[in-house]
């Protein structure tokens, strides 16, 4: 218990020494002299009071013996005629006593085990812990040591002068007397070494190093590295007693090295930067003023700080420490707040740090060695998760990455690009192994690694957004892998989808136009392009919404392998088209499609047909439109839409005779002139290009402003066509049920009907689309041939070319919208026909196309679809019983969409639909059909939303049990996923029903 009292006595002794000194601001020189004398007198009085306390107070007996023991062991202690040094020495002795007492108290502490069943289960507090008031007394004592014993001994430019810190600091500079020993160097040495000795205790060390780290570092730098003869020390070198021995200097260097390695590195970086910096010597201001500029640090100190900073940088996690040390001064740190937000906006500071990191220091063995140590740390800065500092670290990392790429491209390729792209490079590296050498299902790249790779690519390329050749070339090597991942994420919900999309779009927008076209062709695998993606690898869903790269399983059935290959190719093209929809403004999508078409062959066939029609004088609407399209494509090619090679011009030579024939025989002078100019431009390999060609090129297909050919062969702008459409719309709104006055003759209708069976696919497609257009406009002449047009569309529905049968599907849907009572029963009859029902033999593919027609027609009918509910549902339920599994799945898909649109009109047939779905899910062996059936439940719940509990009241329990049955028993992951989605929809519905959203309303009642 005496030791505990002794610890309190030491603190009381310190408190007695630290009797406050009152200072008056803004005093004259004479008053300042009086104030200086008052402070010195107070220091003497405090020292005398402490000695009196040791002599007269028995409680200070043990502390007195300990104090005398430490004085005898301290070779540096000696009584001086300078009261400030005596005061500093006594404080240091008492602090050493405090350290000794704290060590002894902690060593004798043996707490009893706490009873975990009582509230006092917390561990006992160590007796060497200082209270808040005791910590304040110790901090005040340390402040006096630094102010009177350390800082006055520093050379000009070393550290921050006391007069720039506080009013007492300005006075303290005048208190110290250098006329009495010890010397400046000896006082500085004793202060630094003893403070470090005291700081070896963890509790006291935290008090010292949190506030006085910079001053101690400055003192050790001066003691260990200051040259013996400098401009600032010449006046101090009067005798050899003031100099340190080699052993003492070595001790200071070792202490500095140990201190820098021990302390939190960002704090070390900040203090070294402060010590290294400072303005040049400016005009001196009034004494005590804090507005004086700092003295520039000496050359030896700047070099030393630079060397120490470089050593910090090259250590483990040194880059992060340097960045933290520089940026935390801007307000980023534990405090955060408004300063942090200001620091985030200070991008210039981040770029400055990046330039520092990108420059190789002189202390490094070589540039490559520096890159080898620093580059991995630069990439690690991208992975900071703290929200307060992440933006700044990412900014520094991106800027450093780009700066290193510009300065050392080869080293950046080795130490930056390769580690960054390694997960994706595994996908395109054929040397990883064959499918036979790799175990099916083995994970090549895990989800966390792949996600981190994509996020890093997004931050470096898209957010950094500084395109250069090395950056674009590196991304080109993994572009197919990123696009393949984008295609995979389009199948489901994934947070990687938008990142992959932005990365691919960034590459296509930043690279050269020709390179972008080539990259698009490679992604579409055109012109014999081979996929660089490893054939044995595939993407699989990750547990956290990402993706995993695994080894494919071998597919034994050739049909299944062929089906998967064809479906994946189709899906890739759909994803590519979706990407190109974001590049409309750049014109890249139009140029790509133009380059992909077999343009020359198509144009030659078009011009040949036009020449034949001119020879027989049978030029009609379809011929005029196809001729306009063909000549517009030629003008676009010659106008610079694609880069033509000499071989392309040679291939275009076959168009010259046909263009000459058109320029001589066509009745329209505009087309004549354009054909003549195109002929001359082709013959001169593009050396001749008139305004006519330029205008036609800008108005070619795929451009923003289009030029179309009217029915009479004259060219009209898109604005004129817009006026015509507006007029037609106004007339239709005036008479919604009737047909508009015809703008087409019967002869032109006959030409369209003939062209709709033309063997040339472009001609047939153009004719079908023209018929669809006139049907939408409800041209009276077209509506009189509805039976012929219906038969024509049904016939083209069987065509193998997608352009043709898609146009036929669109036409049948429009006919259904115009004549639902006549057309819909006919289409339903066609859909029901099958060999099993004794009808004519119609392929399952055609019936699925007919199902698409029915659904498009249902969408067009809108609310009127409920009027045809029974025949539509009967047809789709009959399709569910078809032997063909694809048709069964298609019928279920159509049934789900129909139920979603019928909503409340679904009530009377809900039992039939529920029974059908339950039977299919529990008895169907084909997985695609089961998936479709479960998806119908999801669409049903999604369409009814809050009203599902009313409409499905009788079958809701059965549907819920069905979904739980699928989740628990079905082995197909997609079926289970659909069931889980349906359960989530049902969960949302029930939550809204049981816990309706509370609405706060204000009601104002007017009293009578």
């Amino acid at each position: 218990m005496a030791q505990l009292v002794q610890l309190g006595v030491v603190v009381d002794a310190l408190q007695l020494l630290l009797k406050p000194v009152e200072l008056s601001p803004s005093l004259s020189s004479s008053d300042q002299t009086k104030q200086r004398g008052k402070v010195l007198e107070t220091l003497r009085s405090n020292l005398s009071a402490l000695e009196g306390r040791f002599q007269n107070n028995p409680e200070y007996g043990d502390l007195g013996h300990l104090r005398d023991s430490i004085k005898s062991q301290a070779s540096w202690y000696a009584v001086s005629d300078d009261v400030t040094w005596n005061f500093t020495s006594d404080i240091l002795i008492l602090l050493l006593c405090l350290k000794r007492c704290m060590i002894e108290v902690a060593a004798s502490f043996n707490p009893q085990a706490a009873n975990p069943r009582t509230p006092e289960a917390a561990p006992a507090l160590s007796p060497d812990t200082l209270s808040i008031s005791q910590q304040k007394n110790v901090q005040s004592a340390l402040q006096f040591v630094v102010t009177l014993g350390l800082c006055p001994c520093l050379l000009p430019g070393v550290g921050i002068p006391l007069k720039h810190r506080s009013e007492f600091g300005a006075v303290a500079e005048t208190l110290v007397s250098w006329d009495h020993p010890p010397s400046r160097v000896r006082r500085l040495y004793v202060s630094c070494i003893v403070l470090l000795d005291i700081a070896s205790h963890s509790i006291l060390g935290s008090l010292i190093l949190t506030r006085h780290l910079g001053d101690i570092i400055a003192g050790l730098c001066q003691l260990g590295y200051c040259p013996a003869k400098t401009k600032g020390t010449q006046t101090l070198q009067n005798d050899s007693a003031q100099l340190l021995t080699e052993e003492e200097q070595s001790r200071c260097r070792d202490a500095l090295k140990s201190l820098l390695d021990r302390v939190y590195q960002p704090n070390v970086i900040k203090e070294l930067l402060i010590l290294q910096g400072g303005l040049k010597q400016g005009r001196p201001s009034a004494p005590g003023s804090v507005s004086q500029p700092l003295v520039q640090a000496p050359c030896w100190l700047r070099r030393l700080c630079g060397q120490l900073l470089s050593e910090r940088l090259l250590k483990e996690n040194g880059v992060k420490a340097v960045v933290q040390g520089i940026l935390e001064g801007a307000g980023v740190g534990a405090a955060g707040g408004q300063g942090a937000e200001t620091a985030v906006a200070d991008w210039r500071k981040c770029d400055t740090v990046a330039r520092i990191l990108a420059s190789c220091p002189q202390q490094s063995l070589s540039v490559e060695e520096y890159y080898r140590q620093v580059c991995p740390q630069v990439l690690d800065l991208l992975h900071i998760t703290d929200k307060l500092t992440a933006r700044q670290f990412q900014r520094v990392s991106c800027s450093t990455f780009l700066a290193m790429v510009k300065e050392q491209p080869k080293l950046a390729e080795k130490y930056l690009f390769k580690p960054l792209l390694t997960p994706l490079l595994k996908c395109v590296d054929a040397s990883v192994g064959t499918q036979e050498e790799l175990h099916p299902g083995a994970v090549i790249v895990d989800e966390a690694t792949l996600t981190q790779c994509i996020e890093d690519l997004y931050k470096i390329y898209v957010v950094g957004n500084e395109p250069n050749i090395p950056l674009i070339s590196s991304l080109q090597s993994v572009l197919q892998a990123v696009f393949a991942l984008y295609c995979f994420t389009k199948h489901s919900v994934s947070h990687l989808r938008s990142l992959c999309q932005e990365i691919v779009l960034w590459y296509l927008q930043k690279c050269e136009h020709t390179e972008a076209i080539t990259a698009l062709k490679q992604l579409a695998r055109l012109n014999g392009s081979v996929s660089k993606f490893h054939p044995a690898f595939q993407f699989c869903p990750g547990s956290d919404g990402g993706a995993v790269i695994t080894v494919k399983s071998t597919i034994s059935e050739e049909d299944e392998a062929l089906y998967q290959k064809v479906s994946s190719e189709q899906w890739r093209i759909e994803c590519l088209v979706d990407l190109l929809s974001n590049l409309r403004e750049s014109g890249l999508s139009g140029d790509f499609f133009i380059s992909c078409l077999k343009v020359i062959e198509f144009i030659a066939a078009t011009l040949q047909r036009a020449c034949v029609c001119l020879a027989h004088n049978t030029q009609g609407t379809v011929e005029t439109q196809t001729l306009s399209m063909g000549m517009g494509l030629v003008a676009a090619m010659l106008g610079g839409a694609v880069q033509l090679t000499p071989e392309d011009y040679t291939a275009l030579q076959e168009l010259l005779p046909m263009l000459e024939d058109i320029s001589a025989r066509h009745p329209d002078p505009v087309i004549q002139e354009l054909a003549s100019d195109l002929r001359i431009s082709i013959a001169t390999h593009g050396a001749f290009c008139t305004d006519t060609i330029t205008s036609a090129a800008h108005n070619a297909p795929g451009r923003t402003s289009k030029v179309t050919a009217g029915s009479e062969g004259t060219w009209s702008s898109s604005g004129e066509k817009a006026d015509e459409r507006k007029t037609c719309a106004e007339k239709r709104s005036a008479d919604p049920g009737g047909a508009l006055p015809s703008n087409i003759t019967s002869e032109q209708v006959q030409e369209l009907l003939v062209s709709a069976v033309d063997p040339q696919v472009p001609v047939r497609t153009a004719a079908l689309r023209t018929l669809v257009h006139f049907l939408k406009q409800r041209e009276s002449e077209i509506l009189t041939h509805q039976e012929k047009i219906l038969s024509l569309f049904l016939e083209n529905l069987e065509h193998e070319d997608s352009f043709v049968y898609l146009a036929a599907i669109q036409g049948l849907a429009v006919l259904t919208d115009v004549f639902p009572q006549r057309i819909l029963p006919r289409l339903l009859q066609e859909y029901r026909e099958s060999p099993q029902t004794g009808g004519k033999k119609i392929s399952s593919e055609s019936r699925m196309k007919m199902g698409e027609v029915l659904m498009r027609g249902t969408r067009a009918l809108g609310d009127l679809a409920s009027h045809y509910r029974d025949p539509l549902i009967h047809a789709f339920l009959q399709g569910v019983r078809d032997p063909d599994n694809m048709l069964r799945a298609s019928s279920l898909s159509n049934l789900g969409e129909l139920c979603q649109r019928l909503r409340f009109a679904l009530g009377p047939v809900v039992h039939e639909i529920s029974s059908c779905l339950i039977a299919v899910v529990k008895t169907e062996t084909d997985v695609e059909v089961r998936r479709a059936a479960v998806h119908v439940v999801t669409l049903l719940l999604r369409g009814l939303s809050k009203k599902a509990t009313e409409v499905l009241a009788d079958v809701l329990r059965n549907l819920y049990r069905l979904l739980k049955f699928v989740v628990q028993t079905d082995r197909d992951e997609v079926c289970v996923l659909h069931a889980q989605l349906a359960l989530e929809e049902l969960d949302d519905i029930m939550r809204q029903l049981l816990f309706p959203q509370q609405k706060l309303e204000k009601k104002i009642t007017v009293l009578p």
Side-chain angles (χ1 to χ4, degrees):
M1 192 67 184
Q3 290 180 335
L4 292 176
V5 174
Q6 187 178 10
L7 180 62
V9 170
V10 177
V11 178
D12 290 340
L14 283 174
Q15 186 177 7
L16 183 61
L17 267 181
L18 305 176
K19 182 179 180 180
V21 179
E22 296 182 1
L23 298 178
S24 301
S26 303
L27 298 177
S28 61
S29 59
S30 60
D31 293 336
Q32 289 179 359
T33 303
K34 294 180 181 179
Q35 183 168 273
R36 177 178 177 274
K38 183 179 179 180
V39 173
L40 292 176
E41 183 61 31
T42 303
L43 296 181
R44 292 191 187 96
S45 175
N46 292 349
L47 287 173
S48 300
L50 180 64
E51 292 296 333
R53 185 69 60 88
F54 276 115
Q55 294 176 3
N56 302 324
N57 194 336
E59 294 182 358
Y60 281 69
D62 293 338
L63 178 59
H65 293 305
L66 178 62
R67 178 170 174 252
D68 294 338
S69 174
I70 292 178
K71 283 183 178 179
S72 63
Q73 297 175 3
S75 60
W76 53 268
Y77 182 80
V79 179
S80 173
D81 293 334
D82 182 15
V83 64
T84 58
W85 181 245
N86 288 336
F87 186 79
T88 303
S89 300
D90 276 16
I91 290 179
L92 291 175
I93 292 296
L94 287 177
L95 290 174
L96 289 173
C97 293
L98 179 62
K99 174 191 172 185
R100 180 78 61 85
C101 292
M102 295 175 70
I103 293 175
E104 292 176 356
V105 167
S108 62
F109 179 57
N110 187 18
Q112 298 180 354
N115 186 0
R117 298 183 179 181
T118 63
E120 294 79 12
L125 188 65
S126 177
D128 64 343
T129 305
L130 298 176
S131 66
I132 295 177
S133 61
Q134 290 174 339
Q135 290 183 20
K136 290 182 178 180
N137 290 330
V138 173
Q139 288 173 349
S140 299
L142 294 171
Q143 185 69 35
F144 271 100
V145 172
V146 172
T147 303
L148 298 178
L150 194 155
C151 290
C153 304
L154 296 176
L155 295 175
V158 180
I160 301 177
L162 289 174
K163 59 185 177 182
H164 288 269
R165 303 188 189 185
S166 65
E167 181 185 354
F168 179 75
V171 176
E173 287 186 331
T174 63
L175 297 177
V176 181
S177 174
W178 305 112
D179 298 334
H180 307 286
S183 64
R184 289 175 182 262
V185 176
R186 187 58 54 183
R187 293 186 185 189
L188 180 62
Y189 176 78
V190 171
S191 299
C192 291
I193 295 302
V194 176
L195 283 176
L196 288 178
D197 185 12
I198 298 171
S200 62
H201 191 278
S202 59
I203 297 178
L204 297 176
S206 63
L207 298 177
I208 295 174
L209 299 180
T210 52
R211 295 199 175 188
H212 308 291
L213 176 63
D215 294 325
I216 296 176
I217 292 177
L220 292 176
C221 289
Q222 179 174 321
L223 293 171
Y225 295 93
C226 178
K229 297 292 183 180
T230 63
K231 181 179 179 180
T233 59
Q234 288 178 356
T235 59
L236 305 178
Q237 309 299 327
N238 294 328
D239 55 65
S240 59
Q242 294 178 334
L243 297 177
L244 298 180
T245 63
E246 285 293 333
E247 182 181 357
E248 290 173 333
Q249 285 188 329
S250 176
R251 182 181 180 184
C252 292
R253 296 191 189 100
D254 293 341
L256 177 62
K257 183 178 183 301
S258 175
L259 178 64
L260 295 181
D261 293 337
R262 168 188 173 187
V263 181
Y264 180 57
Q265 291 303 295
N267 291 343
V268 173
I269 300 298
K270 284 193 294 184
E271 298 298 339
L272 289 176
L273 288 172
I274 294 174
L275 195 59
Q276 184 185 36
L279 302 175
K280 294 184 178 180
Q281 179 66 51
R283 180 179 301 176
S285 58
S289 172
V290 296
S291 61
Q292 298 182 52
L294 295 175
V295 179
Q296 185 182 25
C299 295
W300 65 268
L301 182 59
R302 294 199 301 270
R303 288 194 298 269
L304 175 62
C305 290
Q307 179 180 354
L308 294 176
L309 286 170
S310 299
E311 291 177 358
R312 302 299 104 192
L313 176 63
L314 297 177
K315 284 183 174 293
E316 184 180 0
N317 296 325
V319 172
K320 181 180 179 181
V322 169
V323 176
Q324 280 182 313
I326 296 176
L327 297 183
E328 281 182 356
V332 177
Q338 294 180 353
E341 295 296 330
T342 304
V344 170
D346 191 8
W347 59 268
R348 294 181 180 176
K349 196 165 190 177
C350 298
D351 289 349
T352 302
V353 179
R355 287 194 296 271
I356 295 174
L357 296 177
S359 302
C360 177
Q362 296 178 353
Q363 289 77 18
S364 183
L365 297 176
S366 63
V367 178
E368 183 172 1
E369 179 65 19
Y370 175 73
Y371 271 58
R372 187 187 66 80
Q373 294 180 352
V374 171
C375 287
Q377 300 185 52
V378 172
L379 294 177
D380 287 339
L381 293 181
L382 295 171
H383 311 144
I384 302 296
T385 57
D386 181 65
K387 295 182 179 180
L388 192 61
T389 59
R391 291 179 60 185
Q392 276 199 323
F393 279 109
Q394 292 172 10
R395 173 75 189 187
V396 172
S397 180
C398 293
S399 300
T400 307
F401 190 104
L402 297 171
M404 287 182 166
V405 169
K406 292 179 181 178
E407 292 188 9
Q408 300 289 339
K410 294 184 179 179
L411 294 178
E413 174 70 25
K414 182 177 181 181
Y415 295 109
L416 286 177
F417 285 123
K418 188 174 181 180
L420 179 67
L421 303 175
T422 294
L424 294 176
L425 289 174
K426 291 182 179 180
C427 304
V428 297
D429 188 4
S431 62
V432 175
T434 62
Q435 189 170 357
E436 290 76 12
E437 297 172 351
L438 298 172
H439 178 68
V443 177
I444 304 300
V445 180
D446 59 84
E447 181 181 6
T449 304
L450 185 59
T451 300
Q452 179 176 290
C453 176
I454 296 299
E455 290 177 348
D456 291 349
L457 285 179
Y458 178 79
K459 295 170 185 176
I460 294 293
Y461 291 88
V462 181
V463 178
N465 196 24
E466 291 188 15
N468 53 51
I469 295 178
L471 219 62
I472 294 176
S473 300
S474 64
L475 185 56
Q476 182 184 10
S477 61
V478 296
L479 186 65
Q480 292 195 22
V482 177
F483 179 70
L485 179 58
Y486 169 73
C487 295
F488 171 76
T489 56
K490 289 278 288 182
H491 283 290
S492 59
V493 178
S494 175
H495 61 274
L496 297 179
R497 182 194 305 172
S498 59
L499 301 181
C500 295
Q501 176 179 332
E502 292 297 329
I503 293 171
V504 177
L505 291 177
W506 182 90
Y507 175 83
L508 296 175
Q509 292 171 343
K510 302 303 179 182
C511 68
E512 295 293 334
H513 190 77
T514 55
E515 293 180 0
I517 296 295
T518 303
L520 288 173
K521 289 183 178 180
Q522 291 177 350
L523 296 180
R525 299 182 188 175
L526 300 176
N527 297 338
S529 300
V530 181
S531 174
K532 294 183 179 180
F533 195 80
H534 201 292
F537 295 162
Q538 65 178 356
F539 290 107
C540 293
S543 58
D544 296 329
V548 182
I549 302 177
T550 61
V551 181
K552 287 183 180 179
S553 300
T554 305
I555 301 176
S556 57
E557 298 182 3
E558 296 182 0
D559 294 341
E560 180 66 20
L562 179 61
Y563 170 75
Q564 290 192 6
K565 181 178 180 180
V566 173
S567 60
S568 63
E569 293 289 330
Q570 181 180 358
W571 180 250
R572 188 181 67 257
I573 297 300
E574 291 178 4
C575 295
L576 182 60
V577 172
D578 183 62
L579 270 180
L580 290 174
S581 64
N582 297 284
L583 298 172
R584 292 175 180 174
E585 295 182 359
S586 64
L588 183 62
S589 56
D591 297 340
F592 169 66
F593 285 120
I594 289 176
S595 64
C596 292
L597 293 173
K598 295 182 178 181
V599 180
I600 298 178
E601 291 81 353
F602 171 73
I603 294 173
T606 302
L607 297 183
Q608 182 65 37
R609 178 181 177 83
C611 292
V612 172
C613 291
L614 289 173
H616 294 83
N617 197 19
T618 59
Q619 185 78 0
T621 303
V622 177
E623 289 76 9
T624 303
Q625 290 181 348
T626 54
L627 176 61
S628 302
M629 182 188 301
M631 296 182 68
L633 290 175
V634 178
M637 294 169 62
L638 296 174
V642 292
Q643 190 71 27
L644 295 177
T645 63
E647 292 76 11
D648 296 330
Y649 280 109
T650 302
L652 287 172
Q653 297 293 324
E654 63 175 300
L655 306 180
L656 295 179
M658 291 174 280
L659 288 173
E660 182 179 7
D661 190 11
I662 293 172
S663 64
R665 304 174 64 175
H666 201 280
D668 191 344
V670 177
I671 294 182
Q672 288 182 0
E673 181 183 1
L674 179 59
S676 177
D677 292 344
L678 291 175
R679 176 174 171 272
I680 298 173
S681 182
I682 293 173
T684 60
H685 285 208
F688 174 82
C689 186
T690 63
D691 294 338
T692 305
I693 297 178
T694 305
S695 177
H698 284 294
N699 296 311
R703 302 289 182 171
T704 303
S705 176
K706 297 183 178 180
V707 176
T708 58
S711 59
E712 299 299 328
T714 58
W715 291 76
S716 59
S717 66
S718 58
E720 296 172 356
K721 289 293 181 182
D723 294 339
E724 295 177 6
R725 287 194 295 269
K726 182 177 179 181
T727 303
C728 293
E730 292 174 352
K731 293 180 179 179
R732 182 173 180 177
S733 63
D735 184 15
L740 294 176
S742 179
N743 292 324
I744 184 173
T745 63
S746 59
E747 292 79 6
Q748 292 173 335
V749 173
Q750 293 299 326
E751 290 179 8
L752 285 175
L753 297 177
V754 172
S755 299
V757 293
D758 193 284
Q760 291 287 342
V761 172
V763 177
R764 178 180 292 203
T765 305
L768 292 175
R769 290 183 176 179
T770 304
L771 287 172
V772 173
H773 170 73
F774 285 136
L775 281 172
K776 289 181 179 179
Q777 297 296 327
R778 300 202 176 187
E779 295 284 351
S780 58
E781 191 65 36
I782 292 290
L783 296 181
T784 58
H785 298 80
Q786 57 174 292
E787 290 297 331
K788 292 182 180 180
I789 295 175
L790 175 61
S791 302
L792 195 62
F793 284 147
L794 290 174
E795 178 183 349
N796 282 282
L797 199 64
E798 303 286 341
H799 201 280
E800 61 182 4
D801 192 278
S802 60
F803 286 98
V804 176
Y805 70 72
L806 286 177
I809 289 175
Q810 186 179 8
L812 289 171
V814 174
L815 273 177
T816 305
D817 182 28
V818 178
F819 304 106
Q821 295 181 349
R822 304 177 191 174
I823 304 301
L824 194 58
R826 174 79 176 272
L827 297 181
L828 289 171
Q829 181 63 31
E830 294 283 341
Y831 185 75
R832 294 192 190 99
E833 292 288 347
S834 66
Q836 286 72 23
T837 59
K840 59 182 180 180
K841 186 176 182 180
I842 301 178
S843 63
S844 298
E845 183 180 357
S846 298
R847 295 179 66 190
M848 285 188 285
K849 293 176 183 177
M850 189 62 67
E852 176 66 19
V853 171
L854 292 173
M855 291 317 305
R856 290 194 182 191
T858 303
R859 297 189 201 111
L861 288 174
D863 294 338
L864 289 178
S866 60
H867 182 67
Y868 302 97
R869 177 196 62 195
D870 294 339
L872 285 170
I873 290 181
H874 181 267
F876 292 144
L877 289 178
Q878 184 176 344
V880 174
R881 298 162 53 191
D882 195 89
D884 188 271
N885 58 349
M886 296 304 296
L887 183 60
R888 295 200 301 275
S890 175
S891 299
L892 285 169
S893 176
N894 295 336
L895 181 63
E897 185 171 353
L898 178 62
C899 292
Q900 190 177 17
R901 295 187 176 277
L902 289 177
R903 296 172 66 85
F904 303 109
L906 190 63
V909 294
V910 70
H911 289 279
E912 289 81 354
I913 296 175
S914 172
S915 302
C916 174
L917 296 177
I918 294 174
V920 169
V921 171
K922 292 187 176 181
T923 62
E924 180 62 55
T925 58
D926 187 80
V927 65
E928 296 290 341
V929 181
R930 293 203 312 275
R931 292 175 182 176
V934 178
H935 187 58
V936 171
V937 182
T938 306
L939 295 177
L940 191 61
L941 295 173
R942 191 174 298 165
L944 293 173
S945 187
K946 298 180 180 180
K947 300 298 181 180
T949 54
E950 299 179 15
V951 179
L952 304 178
D954 297 335
V955 299
L956 193 58
R957 183 178 61 178
N958 296 335
L959 294 179
Y960 174 74
R961 291 177 176 176
L962 176 66
L963 295 174
K964 297 295 289 184
F965 172 79
V966 173
V967 172
Q968 296 172 0
T969 62
D970 204 302
R971 298 182 179 180
D972 182 63
E973 296 181 355
V974 179
C975 284
V976 174
L977 176 61
H978 284 317
Q980 290 173 344
L981 292 175
L983 288 173
E984 290 178 3
E985 292 286 344
L986 185 58
D987 180 69
D988 293 338
I989 293 171
M990 299 308 298
R991 286 180 183 273
Q992 293 177 11
L993 178 66
L994 298 176
F995 309 104
Q997 184 179 2
Q998 299 294 329
K999 294 183 179 180
L1000 299 178
E1001 298 180 351
K1002 291 184 178 180
K1003 292 185 178 181
I1004 300 176
T1005 304
V1006 180
L1007 298 176

